[in-house]
Amino acid sequence: MTETEIKSIIDEETYLRVKNAFKWDEIKEQENNYYTDHNGILRQNRIMVRVRVIDGVSKIQVKLHKNNNSPLQICEENEFAIDGIPQMIPAEKAKRITGVESGDLFYMGSAVTVRYSLKSNGSELCLDKTNYFDKTDYEVEVEYEEKMSAELLMRLTALGIAFNKESIGKFSRFLKEYDKRQ
């Protein structure tokens, strides 16, 4: 599945403003457990592997990022059933799910996100508060298939959201903090 989204990192004040401005369809907590290889093959190929847990259900998700240096993110995303959160994903399974020879994948840590979401005119608005290591950050994402809802974009702009900077995803932010601790 191809995922197209536009995102913006925001501060806590803007997060609260957006949170209070909408009637949300759903509020969920998700835990993202991240994996990498010892040789940096996944990073080199812009592949992210995580086990996401929502409502007690675990799924391996693999994202291949197709562009960068833009608020617009286009990713090829696949997911597979899994029981629990393994400490290691064996090389043969890693190759099957990622399509690259990377060797075993090891567990790096997790990030917990509280996500508010609503659907509007073919778009989905997601407002995230994410905790990892000793950090908390805030993000607005709009996912869409054909075109983004102009009405939704105008409402977000009026709330102070700008989609004019390079988008740095949750995994990239997590990696930055992870690398500081190595």
Side-chain angles (χ1 to χ4, degrees):
M1 166 181 91
T2 300
E3 176 184 79
T4 304
E5 62 188 10
I6 191 165
K7 10 174 119 181
S8 182
I9 306 300
I10 57 176
D11 60 25
E12 185 177 17
E13 181 182 319
T14 305
Y15 168 84
L16 293 171
R17 195 167 45 247
V18 173
K19 181 178 161 187
N20 294 324
F22 291 93
K23 183 179 182 306
W24 300 96
D25 297 333
E26 189 173 60
I27 304 167
K28 290 261 187 196
E29 183 173 287
Q30 59 190 31
E31 178 183 334
N32 292 317
N33 299 278
Y34 294 114
Y35 295 82
T36 195
D37 61 288
H38 287 292
N39 298 317
I41 305 291
L42 295 182
R43 282 191 195 193
Q44 188 177 7
N45 287 285
R46 304 189 73 230
I47 297 171
M48 184 272 307
V49 176
R50 68 182 171 207
V51 172
R52 177 173 276 174
V53 181
I54 300 176
D55 294 332
V57 177
S58 302
K59 294 183 181 179
I60 291 181
Q61 296 180 327
V62 178
K63 278 188 170 187
L64 170 60
H65 296 271
K66 295 186 170 190
N67 69 329
N68 60 4
N69 300 324
S70 168
L72 177 68
Q73 290 292 298
I74 301 172
C75 301
E76 189 64 36
E77 185 174 315
N78 295 296
E79 67 180 25
F80 310 89
I82 191 170
D83 290 324
I85 303 164
Q87 288 300 302
M88 191 263 301
I89 299 172
E92 61 276 0
K93 185 171 193 167
K95 182 178 180 189
R96 195 169 56 250
I97 64 173
T98 64
V100 298
E101 294 261 358
S102 61
D104 295 340
L105 303 183
F106 66 90
Y107 177 78
M108 301 168 65
S110 68
V112 176
T113 299
V114 174
R115 170 167 279 186
Y116 291 78
S117 61
L118 70 87
K119 296 195 183 323
S120 174
N121 298 324
S123 297
E124 182 177 12
L125 171 63
C126 300
L127 178 66
D128 294 343
K129 176 182 179 180
T130 302
N131 295 298
Y132 51 100
F133 302 112
D134 58 352
K135 295 199 59 99
T136 299
D137 61 35
Y138 307 91
E139 175 179 45
V140 171
E141 299 179 2
V142 180
E143 297 180 14
Y144 57 96
E145 288 185 27
E146 293 180 22
K147 62 181 184 174
M148 185 171 30
S149 164
E151 176 189 340
L152 184 56
L153 184 58
M154 287 187 332
R155 283 189 70 188
L156 290 170
T157 301
L159 290 166
I161 306 295
F163 296 104
N164 58 357
K165 295 181 183 169
E166 175 184 355
S167 174
I168 301 170
K170 286 177 190 65
F171 181 56
S172 295
R173 298 190 311 266
F174 176 90
L175 271 179
K176 183 177 178 182
E177 289 303 311
Y178 177 83
D179 288 344
K180 286 180 185 177
R181 288 160 168 73
Q182 297 307 303

